Amino acid sequence: MATFARPENALKRAEELINVEQKQEALEALHSFITSRRYRAWTRSHERIMFKYVELCVDMRRGRHAKDGLIQYRGICQQVNITSLEEVIKHFMQLATEKAELARNQAQALEEALDIDDLEADKRPEDLMLSYVSGEKGKDRSDRELVTPWFKFLCETYRTVLEILRNNSRLEALYAMTAHRAFQFCKQYKRTTEFRRLCEIIRNHLANLNKYRDQRDRPDLSAPESLQLYLDTRFEQLKVATELELWQEAFRSIEDIHGLMCMVKKIPKPSLMVVYYSKLSEIFWMSSNHLYHAYAWLKLFSLQKSFNKNLNQKDLQLIASSVVLAALSVPPYDRSYGASHFELENEKERSFRVANLIAFDVESKLENREMVAKGVMNCVTQEVKDLYHIMEHEFLPLDLALKVQPLLTKISKLGGKLASASSVPEVQLSQYVPSLEKLAALRLLQRVSQVYQTMNIDSLSRIIPFFDFPIVEKISVDAVKNNFLAMKMDYRKGAIFFGNKSLESEGLRYHLSSFAESLSKSRVMIHPPVKRISKLGETVSDLVELVEKEHKRLLARKSIIEKRKEEQERQLLEMEREEEAKRLKLQKMTEEAEQKRLANEFEQMKNQRIRREIEERELEEAQALLQEAEKRSKKKGKKPVVEGEKITKQTLLELAVTEQLREKQEMEKKLQKLAKTMDYLERAKREEAAPLIEAAFKQRLVEEEALHELEQQREIDVSSQRHAGDLEEKRRLGRMLENKKIFQERVVYHRRAEYERLKEEREERINQIIQSRKQEREAKRKMIYFLRSEDERQQRLREEEEARKLEEMERRKKEDAERKAKLDEIAEKQRQRERELEEKERQRREELLGRSTRTTEPSSAMTHPPPTEVAPAASAAVPLSAGKYVPRFKRTAAAEGGAQAPPPETDKWSAGSRIDDRTPQHGDRWRDDRRPAFGGGPGGPPRSTWQSSKERERGRF
């Protein structure tokens, strides 16, 4: 292992090795320097060395070396300058990210180059053989060779950084930032496997944080800043998991968030809870857990309504409609029917585990009154409200599906982005339509089974327009399996049989119990029970008072015990807080003392190192100067003027300067002498070369003149030959001039004739087109005029028809009014005639009653001669025994004067068509009142009043 006097030397050595392409040796040199115990005091040079070290690790993809070096550097600078570690780690991640992006861009460029190289050329033989052997395409192969190694190294980089920064209170922010960058990398490049590993690593870090509570620099989750960082990391993990559609990992992230909330016993901000419940609703929907999905939507609705002040009415309607539709999508039966005990226990445990995430009571269900109490039904759209009313309250065995179908069509078109709820970006109500269609089919089957015993399969298919019959059959089988319906299908008869014939069936038992309750209520209403006071009632009332007193005493005792427990817990909590404060204070004092001691040691070591470095540097410089002096002395054959160990640095410097001045002077003299020699030599060379250059120039002039004359004569000969040939060609072509003119005239004539013909045809065609277009326009104008006239005629006919209808209606109203007036007049006359008949009948009855009274008094006086005071009473008994009311003053007058009592007045209802003048017996009043209808009795009139009145009325008409 190489040793260096200073850190700068190690950095310089590494740069020299890099310049000669020996990166491995440079990496080993820097690694040995970082892991050495000799250089444990942090300096600024350590940071520069770490920058170079991580650059080499990234270039060579050495993840293990980088991890080892960063761990060693964390131990060096953790207590002195933690910011330096953050800078190095950020630089490390930035380099790895840039390399991965560069590799990806190179792969894309290579793919594009391969794509547009030559569209006409066939594939090369080597490419075909490689594709047949490897079975890969060009892009896959380039990704595997270029992109995949760098992506793997980048993932390893993120894991390394998270391992180094884990569970350190000073590096919490950098830890959260690294986790967020890793999540974004997995999201951008769809790295699902790496995302699962990353989530597992973060989950293990939190588990170790709770397991080892005595760790130094351990993050305090009760602090708001630390808790917020951890929650932000988990919520980012949840968002990325849902976007990558890793629902199992998203559910684990939800459990992590819930575990953090339970650990610190604090509820996060409402904005985070909105994200929490929105992602929960997505997870539950994907897992077909409709009950928890609906409850998550209800929680989300409550949070948005309570804390989102910017929520508009449209967004609130969409959220409330989602709550109601999610609640309606819950299956109406439990799928655990018929399951084994082991399966039921597992399902119960899983339900409790899921319900704890949303604070849901497993034993209860999402009921209607809970949604009404929270104001959900007041915020939903009208379509959802109508659907809820039809599905839950109306009993429509045959028309339920037909009424639900248009509502579902309208609901499927509702939805969109929420402008005032950023955590819930989009709501689409169409996702609930399949579940609601299935629920509508189940409700229809249930209500049809309550009304019918048998139904044709075709009829059932017609009243369920959502599905074909095989799907309805599958839904029915599932409902029968879970004991929701009781039905059988007979394909030979083409019929469906509902219900169970046994007395223990659920439907029959329900109907019998409802019938019994209705009968009991009716009996209580007809014959209310009589309250009887007994000794048992007094005893029960005393017992009730005693029970109430005992219950109040127990409640008071329970409250006292709870208060004592709370007080004891508060005291224990205060003691724990005081002990924790003392421990933190003592720990802080210890840390401060340790920091002071380390700072003093660091300062002493720094001073010692500086002094040692100065001495070593001076010694090295003196030895170098001494060696140079010895070399120069040996070359010149002189002995160095030094005395061994007695020489000092100053003496050596003076000797070196003197020697350098002397050498400089000697060198200048040599250069002057050499320059003079070169000057003389150059002048002599030029003097000798001047006559030779002049002779060569003259010889060159003579040769060029002869060559010019030869070229000029050759050009003249060629021009003469070309001119003679041109003249001969002219004479030869002159004989064909007449023929050329004749041929030209013939061609021009034919072309002119062709042109004239084409011109006439074109003009004729244009005229035809113009004529046809004129005819079309004329026909179009006539058609428009005809249509307009027809429309005006139809409009006029409609107006005349409407006017006629209005006149007819007015006439009918007038006739109805006249007819009504005539009928009213006839009715008034009829009523007047009836009143006159009643008056006459009343007078006749009074006359008859007076005559009978006068006939009775003499006979009674002859048969029974009573005292004077009894006779009036006997005479008054006749009208009293008739069952009619007689005023008091008439009874008094009859008793005092013995005069005849007037008959009782008949009211309007007693003077009808069935009047009985006989005196009924007191024991058989009901029978005697109806006896005149079948004929008169003894002592009655010879003809009934109804007959006489009818005869008089017939005689009048």
Side-chain angles (χ1 to χ4, degrees):
M1 182 178 65
T3 57
F4 302 96
R6 294 181 301 165
E8 291 83 357
N9 296 341
L11 183 59
K12 189 182 297 183
R13 178 61 179 167
E15 290 177 349
E16 292 174 354
L17 291 172
I18 292 171
N19 291 333
V20 296
E21 300 297 333
Q22 294 184 3
K23 293 185 178 181
Q24 180 64 34
E25 288 75 7
L27 182 64
E28 293 295 336
L30 293 179
H31 185 266
S32 62
F33 172 81
I34 294 168
T35 57
S36 175
R37 293 185 176 274
R38 182 178 177 183
Y39 312 101
R40 305 301 293 176
W42 183 86
T43 60
R44 184 62 64 181
S45 300
H46 280 77
E47 185 174 348
R48 293 197 299 271
I49 289 171
M50 283 303 300
F51 279 144
K52 182 61 70 176
Y53 181 75
V54 296
E55 288 176 4
L56 287 173
C57 290
V58 172
D59 289 339
M60 303 175 67
R61 294 204 294 266
R62 298 299 177 86
R64 294 184 180 275
H65 282 76
K67 183 177 181 179
D68 193 12
L70 288 172
I71 290 173
Q72 296 293 332
Y73 189 64
R74 182 184 63 182
I76 292 172
C77 67
Q78 186 170 4
Q79 301 298 330
V80 181
N81 189 2
I82 199 67
T83 309
S84 177
L85 178 62
E86 293 182 3
E87 294 296 329
V88 171
I89 289 176
K90 288 179 181 177
H91 184 63
F92 179 41
M93 290 192 295
Q94 183 66 26
L95 289 174
T97 305
E98 290 177 356
K99 288 290 185 181
E101 289 290 337
L102 181 61
R104 182 169 172 270
N105 294 334
Q106 288 177 355
Q108 290 180 352
L110 180 61
E111 179 187 357
E112 292 175 359
L114 290 174
D115 287 342
I116 63 173
D117 187 12
D118 188 2
L119 297 176
E120 298 293 333
D122 296 332
K123 290 186 177 181
R124 295 178 298 175
E126 52 270 24
D127 292 339
L128 289 172
M129 292 177 64
L130 185 61
S131 64
Y132 292 150
V133 173
S134 62
E136 294 178 345
K137 296 182 179 179
K139 183 179 184 303
D140 298 336
R141 190 162 52 251
S142 61
D143 288 347
R144 184 171 55 82
E145 293 175 356
L146 297 176
V147 181
T148 304
W150 282 110
F151 277 6
K152 182 179 179 182
F153 178 74
L154 184 56
C155 293
E156 186 179 356
T157 299
Y158 287 133
R159 290 198 296 268
T160 299
V161 173
L162 290 174
E163 285 291 337
I164 292 169
L165 302 177
R166 65 186 177 93
N167 300 342
N168 195 324
S169 59
R170 300 183 180 183
L171 301 170
E172 286 178 339
L174 185 58
Y175 180 87
M177 185 267 289
T178 305
H180 283 225
R181 290 183 62 174
F183 292 150
Q184 292 302 319
F185 164 76
C186 297
K187 172 186 171 182
Q188 183 179 0
Y189 298 108
K190 304 290 190 254
R191 312 301 299 183
T192 56
T193 306
E194 287 79 4
F195 179 76
R196 290 192 187 95
R197 293 173 183 169
L198 186 64
C199 295
E200 194 64 31
I201 289 171
I202 294 176
R203 199 170 291 117
N204 291 334
H205 290 173
L206 183 61
N208 292 332
L209 177 64
N210 296 325
K211 185 176 181 181
Y212 304 105
R213 295 183 177 273
D214 55 348
Q215 186 180 358
R216 187 177 181 181
D217 296 329
R218 175 182 176 273
D220 186 11
L221 292 179
S222 60
E225 295 82 6
S226 301
L227 178 62
Q228 189 63 35
L229 287 173
Y230 274 82
L231 284 175
D232 290 342
T233 303
R234 266 60 183 186
F235 274 104
E236 185 67 23
Q237 174 183 335
L238 175 60
K239 291 179 183 177
V240 175
T242 53
E243 290 177 3
L244 292 177
E245 297 183 356
L246 299 175
W247 303 111
Q248 188 174 5
E249 200 60 46
F251 184 75
R252 291 182 179 178
S253 303
I254 290 287
E255 288 185 326
D256 294 342
I257 295 171
H258 184 262
L260 273 175
M261 291 191 292
C262 295
M263 190 185 303
V264 299
K265 296 180 180 179
K266 291 182 181 179
I267 299 176
K269 296 184 293 185
S271 59
L272 293 180
M273 293 306 296
V274 168
V275 177
Y276 178 81
Y277 285 117
S278 64
K279 299 302 179 184
L280 258 181
S281 64
E282 292 183 24
I283 294 170
F284 288 145
W285 179 256
M286 295 304 298
S287 61
S288 299
N289 204 333
H290 297 88
L291 176 61
Y292 296 134
H293 171 75
Y295 199 79
W297 264 114
L298 183 62
K299 289 281 189 181
L300 187 60
F301 170 79
S302 301
L303 284 172
Q304 290 286 353
K305 188 176 180 181
S306 302
F307 298 101
N308 193 351
K309 298 180 180 179
N310 300 324
L311 190 66
N312 55 33
Q313 186 65 27
K314 181 180 177 182
D315 295 345
L316 184 63
Q317 275 189 352
L318 284 177
I319 296 174
S321 300
S322 299
V323 175
V324 176
L325 293 180
L328 288 176
S329 300
V330 178
Y333 51 82
D334 191 4
R335 294 185 176 275
S336 60
Y337 180 80
S340 63
H341 177 72
F342 182 71
E343 293 175 351
L344 290 175
E345 288 296 326
N346 289 338
E347 181 65 23
K348 186 176 181 180
E349 182 180 357
R350 190 179 70 85
S351 299
F352 274 110
R353 176 185 171 191
V354 175
N356 287 332
L357 301 177
I358 52 176
F360 179 70
D361 188 6
V362 180
E363 301 299 331
S364 66
K365 289 188 176 181
L366 189 61
E367 297 183 356
N368 300 337
R369 61 174 179 269
E370 186 173 356
M371 291 193 297
V372 174
K374 293 191 176 183
V376 179
M377 297 304 299
N378 297 329
C379 301
V380 300
T381 59
Q382 187 62 37
E383 293 83 2
V384 177
K385 192 178 295 184
D386 295 342
L387 178 66
Y388 174 79
H389 183 73
I390 291 172
M391 299 284 279
E392 296 295 328
H393 298 294
E394 291 189 1
F395 187 80
L396 303 170
L398 299 178
D399 300 334
L400 187 138
L402 298 177
K403 288 191 174 183
V404 165
Q405 189 175 14
L407 293 176
L408 292 180
T409 305
K410 294 180 181 178
I411 289 172
S412 63
K413 298 177 182 178
L414 298 178
K417 294 184 178 180
L418 302 183
S420 57
S422 58
S423 301
V424 189
E426 189 174 1
V427 174
Q428 292 295 338
L429 302 184
S430 58
Q431 64 178 347
Y432 299 107
V433 171
S435 301
L436 293 174
E437 289 177 350
K438 183 178 178 182
L439 177 67
L442 285 172
R443 293 290 187 194
L444 188 143
L445 289 172
Q446 183 188 24
R447 292 168 186 178
V448 165
S449 66
Q450 294 174 2
V451 176
Y452 298 97
Q453 289 185 352
T454 307
M455 177 174 280
N456 194 357
I457 292 177
D458 296 334
S459 301
L460 184 62
S461 300
R462 282 195 298 272
I463 63 175
I464 303 180
F466 306 128
F467 308 113
D468 297 333
F469 185 73
I471 302 176
V472 176
E473 182 181 9
K474 188 182 297 184
I475 295 173
S476 305
V477 169
D478 190 39
V480 172
K481 177 183 176 183
N482 292 281
N483 201 28
F484 181 71
L485 292 174
M487 57 183 294
K488 296 179 182 179
M489 295 185 184
D490 192 341
Y491 283 100
R492 290 184 301 175
K493 298 180 180 179
I496 299 174
F497 300 95
F498 295 103
N500 192 354
K501 299 300 182 181
S502 64
L503 291 175
E504 296 298 326
S505 63
E506 294 290 335
L508 188 59
R509 194 159 57 225
Y510 173 77
H511 285 299
L512 289 176
S513 61
S514 300
F515 184 64
E517 290 176 0
S518 302
L519 285 178
S520 178
K521 291 179 182 179
S522 303
R523 187 182 63 82
V524 170
M525 291 174 65
I526 295 172
H527 301 290
V530 181
K531 296 182 179 179
R532 297 179 181 179
I533 301 175
S534 62
K535 294 181 179 180
L536 181 61
E538 296 176 357
T539 306
V540 170
S541 62
D542 296 338
L543 183 61
V544 169
E545 292 178 359
L546 182 62
V547 169
E548 289 180 355
K549 289 181 181 180
E550 186 67 19
H551 181 64
K552 291 180 180 178
R553 188 181 67 79
L554 291 176
L555 289 177
R557 183 172 180 272
K558 182 180 179 182
S559 63
I560 293 171
I561 292 172
E562 289 179 352
K563 288 181 180 178
R564 288 178 181 175
K565 285 183 178 180
E566 291 176 358
E567 183 67 22
Q568 187 177 5
E569 290 176 357
R570 187 180 61 79
Q571 293 177 358
L572 290 174
L573 186 60
E574 289 180 355
M575 292 175 61
E576 289 178 358
R577 287 179 179 174
E578 291 177 357
E579 292 177 357
E580 184 68 18
K582 290 180 181 178
R583 187 183 65 79
L584 291 175
K585 186 176 180 181
L586 181 61
Q587 183 180 356
K588 186 177 181 181
M589 293 172 61
T590 306
E591 289 179 356
E592 290 177 355
E594 182 68 18
Q595 289 179 359
K596 288 181 181 178
R597 184 183 65 79
L598 291 174
N600 293 331
E601 289 182 358
F602 176 72
E603 193 66 28
Q604 292 176 3
M605 291 175 63
K606 182 178 180 181
N607 294 332
Q608 292 176 4
R609 180 178 57 78
I610 291 172
R611 286 196 297 271
R612 186 170 61 252
E613 289 177 356
I614 292 172
E615 293 174 357
E616 291 177 355
R617 192 182 302 112
E618 290 179 352
L619 181 60
E620 289 177 357
E621 291 177 356
Q623 288 177 356
L625 291 174
L626 181 61
Q627 290 176 1
E628 288 184 13
E630 288 178 355
K631 288 179 180 179
R632 285 195 298 271
S633 300
K634 287 179 180 180
K635 287 181 180 179
K636 296 181 180 180
K638 298 180 181 180
K639 294 183 179 180
V641 190
V642 292
E643 298 180 359
E645 297 296 331
K646 295 181 180 180
I647 190 171
T648 61
K649 178 185 177 182
Q650 187 66 27
T651 305
L652 289 172
L653 288 174
E654 291 177 357
L655 288 173
V657 169
T658 305
E659 186 66 22
Q660 288 177 358
L661 287 173
R662 187 178 59 78
E663 289 179 355
K664 185 177 181 181
Q665 291 174 0
E666 290 179 356
M667 183 61 66
E668 287 179 355
K669 289 179 182 180
K670 287 181 180 180
L671 288 175
Q672 288 177 0
K673 185 178 179 180
L674 182 61
K676 189 180 291 185
T677 304
M678 293 296 293
D679 189 15
Y680 290 154
L681 182 61
E682 185 65 24
R683 186 183 298 118
K685 285 167 59 178
R686 291 188 178 184
E687 288 176 356
E688 292 293 331
L692 297 175
I693 292 172
E694 184 70 22
F697 177 70
K698 291 180 180 180
Q699 181 67 27
R700 179 74 177 273
L701 287 175
V702 172
E703 291 176 357
E704 287 184 353
E705 185 177 359
L707 180 62
H708 174 67
E709 291 177 356
L710 181 61
E711 290 291 335
Q712 189 175 7
Q713 185 62 36
R714 186 181 302 160
E715 183 67 24
I716 291 170
D717 296 340
V718 170
S719 298
S720 299
Q721 292 176 4
R722 188 182 299 115
H723 180 67
D726 291 341
L727 290 176
E728 182 65 26
E729 185 70 18
K730 181 180 179 181
R731 285 193 300 271
R732 189 177 65 83
L733 294 176
R735 297 193 299 268
M736 295 185 291
L737 183 60
E738 295 296 332
N739 296 328
K740 175 251 183 188
K741 291 180 179 180
I742 295 171
F743 177 73
Q744 183 178 359
E745 290 176 357
R746 187 186 306 154
V747 170
V748 169
Y749 173 76
H750 286 297
R751 289 186 179 177
R752 185 178 292 111
E754 182 69 19
Y755 169 73
E756 293 295 336
R757 185 181 61 80
L758 293 175
K759 183 178 179 181
E760 291 177 358
E761 290 179 357
R762 181 173 177 275
E763 290 177 354
E764 184 180 357
R765 190 166 57 252
I766 290 173
N767 293 330
Q768 290 178 358
I769 293 172
I770 291 172
Q771 189 66 24
S772 64
R773 288 182 179 176
K774 283 183 179 180
Q775 293 175 358
E776 289 177 359
R777 284 197 298 270
E778 185 67 25
K780 188 175 181 181
R781 281 196 296 268
K782 290 181 179 179
M783 180 58 69
I784 291 172
Y785 174 75
F786 173 74
L787 293 175
R788 190 179 296 139
S789 302
E790 186 66 21
D791 290 341
E792 291 176 356
R793 189 180 65 80
Q794 293 292 338
Q795 181 68 23
R796 190 163 54 252
L797 289 176
R798 282 195 296 270
E799 291 176 355
E800 292 175 357
E801 183 67 21
E802 289 177 358
R804 188 183 62 77
K805 288 181 179 179
L806 289 174
E807 291 177 358
E808 183 70 19
M809 290 175 63
E810 291 294 333
R811 186 179 60 77
R812 288 180 181 178
K813 287 182 181 179
K814 191 178 294 184
E815 290 178 355
D816 292 342
E818 293 175 355
R819 189 183 300 109
K820 186 177 180 182
K822 290 180 180 180
L823 292 175
D824 291 341
E825 184 179 355
I826 294 170
E828 183 64 28
K829 290 180 179 180
Q830 184 71 20
R831 284 194 295 270
Q832 184 67 26
R833 191 180 301 114
E834 290 178 356
R835 282 196 296 270
E836 292 175 356
L837 291 175
E838 289 175 0
E839 184 66 24
K840 290 179 180 180
E841 182 66 23
R842 185 178 64 79
Q843 292 176 1
R844 190 186 65 78
R845 287 190 64 189
E846 287 178 358
E847 292 175 358
L848 291 174
L849 187 59
R851 191 183 305 128
S852 62
T853 305
R854 287 193 298 269
T855 306
T856 308
E857 284 179 355
S859 62
S860 60
M862 292 171 63
T863 309
H864 303 285
T868 57
E869 296 181 356
V870 180
S875 62
V878 176
L880 291 176
S881 64
K884 304 294 182 179
Y885 173 74
V886 180
R888 184 177 180 181
F889 71 91
K890 293 182 180 181
R891 292 199 302 268
T892 307
E896 290 178 355
Q900 182 182 354
E905 295 181 358
T906 59
D907 55 359
K908 179 180 179 181
W909 308 104
S910 62
S913 61
R914 299 180 66 181
I915 299 175
D916 191 4
D917 295 332
R918 294 175 299 164
T919 302
Q921 298 294 328
H922 292 283
D924 199 7
R925 183 178 177 183
W926 180 83
R927 188 173 64 249
D928 292 339
D929 287 342
R930 288 157 178 75
R931 194 172 295 164
F934 303 96
R943 298 178 67 182
S944 65
T945 306
W946 181 80
Q947 291 175 351
S948 61
S949 62
K950 279 292 183 179
E951 290 174 357
R952 285 195 302 271
E953 191 171 345
R954 192 179 297 115
R956 180 180 300 173
F957 286 103

